[in-house]
Amino acid sequence: ELYDEACNAYREVVRIKPDFADGHFMLGKLYREQLSDSDKSIYHLKRAEKLFMKLEDYQRVGQIRQLLSRRPA
């Protein structure tokens, strides 16, 4: 339930500010690691990857690519 609340909060954040890379990143991790929804996880992680590329934050891009290359937990 705690993870659901966190997920709802991050969903609201990215609804208000769709270009918030960290929000998409955290949603992707939550969906992947806690809520076992790989489709939503992939969507948010790929969105975060694009946004971090625009910000030239290549360290975060690398983290996301590692997550995407591994099988979900």
Side-chain angles (χ1 to χ4, degrees):
E1 184 174 299
L2 191 61
Y3 296 117
D4 289 326
E5 288 179 33
C7 190
N8 289 337
Y10 279 114
R11 275 204 315 265
E12 181 66 7
V13 167
V14 298
R15 184 188 69 76
I16 293 168
K17 192 171 180 189
D19 289 343
F20 184 51
D22 282 301
H24 286 286
F25 179 65
M26 292 307 296
L27 265 174
K29 286 186 67 161
L30 270 171
Y31 279 123
R32 178 188 184 82
E33 297 168 1
Q34 305 300 331
L35 302 174
S36 300
D37 189 330
S38 62
D39 290 341
K40 288 181 181 174
S41 172
I42 290 167
Y43 170 81
H44 287 288
L45 289 172
K46 286 187 173 189
R47 182 84 175 111
E49 179 185 26
K50 278 174 91 171
L51 294 167
F52 282 124
M53 283 293 286
K54 284 172 76 174
L55 296 170
E56 298 181 2
D57 187 341
Y58 301 115
Q59 182 176 354
R60 295 301 283 274
V61 170
Q63 286 178 317
I64 292 166
R65 288 180 178 169
Q66 278 188 321
L67 281 171
L68 288 169
S69 70
R70 293 195 309 242
R71 293 183 93 22

